[in-house]
């Protein structure tokens, strides 16, 4: 019968303890950022209030005079798209939720100056159904 090696025990026990500590850290950690953001932006039955909150967030994030390409990057990062409507008017939309025949989107409408900066911006959520 092979003798039990004490050196092996001195290596295995600390490794197991470290693994348990790392696993424990992940088990007790949390990240509620998306839930908080959703509650702030969308947790109201009042459409006018929700759109006012959305507009406030968008105009704070993309103030008048800032580069429109920041808006486009933001929208595309969230799998949305932007379309030119008329000269200087760009309509961007981001899908928020959808199921068969029903969807909610965030629309950002921006007036863009010749130098590529935002001269006016608005935002609203839109509900569409068949």
């Amino acid at each position: 019968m092979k003798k039990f090696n004490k050196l092996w025990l001195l290596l295995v026990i600390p490794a197991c303890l470290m693994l348990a500590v790392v696993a424990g850290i992940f088990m007790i950690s949390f990240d509620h950022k998306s839930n908080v953001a959703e509650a702030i932006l969308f947790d109201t039955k009042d459409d006018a209030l929700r759109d006012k909150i959305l507009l406030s967030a968008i105009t704070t994030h993309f103030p008048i005079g800032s580069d429109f390409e920041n808006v486009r990057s933001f929208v595309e990062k969230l799998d949305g798209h932007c379309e030119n409507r008329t000269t200087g008017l760009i309509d961007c939309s981001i899908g928020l939720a959808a199921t068969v025949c029903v969807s909610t989107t965030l629309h950002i409408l921006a007036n863009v100056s010749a130098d590529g900066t935002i001269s006016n911006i608005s935002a609203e959520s839109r509900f569409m159904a068949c």
Side-chain angles (χ1 to χ4, degrees), residues 97-103 127-130:
T99 188
V100 176
C101 204
V102 177
S103 70
F127 174 80
M128 293 179 276
C130 296

Side-chain angles (χ1 to χ4, degrees), residues 8-101:
W8 183 82
L9 189 62
L10 290 174
L11 293 173
V12 171
I13 290 177
C16 289
L17 287 173
M18 286 176 50
L19 184 62
V21 167
V22 169
I25 289 171
F26 283 110
M27 290 175 63
I28 61 172
S29 65
F30 63 90
D31 183 355
H32 295 295
K33 291 183 297 230
S34 61
N35 293 338
V36 171
E38 183 177 348
I40 289 170
L41 294 173
F42 300 106
D43 200 9
T44 178
K45 303 283 187 222
D46 184 343
D47 292 343
L49 176 59
R50 181 177 49 249
D51 288 344
K52 187 175 180 180
I53 293 167
L54 285 170
L55 178 60
S56 178
I58 291 296
T59 56
T60 301
H61 201 79
F62 306 108
I64 303 301
S66 63
D67 188 359
F68 176 76
E69 286 306 311
N70 295 333
V71 177
R72 187 183 305 276
S73 295
F74 170 79
V75 169
E76 290 174 354
K77 183 173 83 173
L78 297 170
D79 294 328
H81 66 279
C82 295
E83 297 178 17
N84 293 339
R85 293 292 178 205
T86 61
T87 303
L89 183 63
I90 302 174
D91 186 5
C92 300
S93 63
I94 303 168
L96 297 174
T99 188
V100 176
C101 204

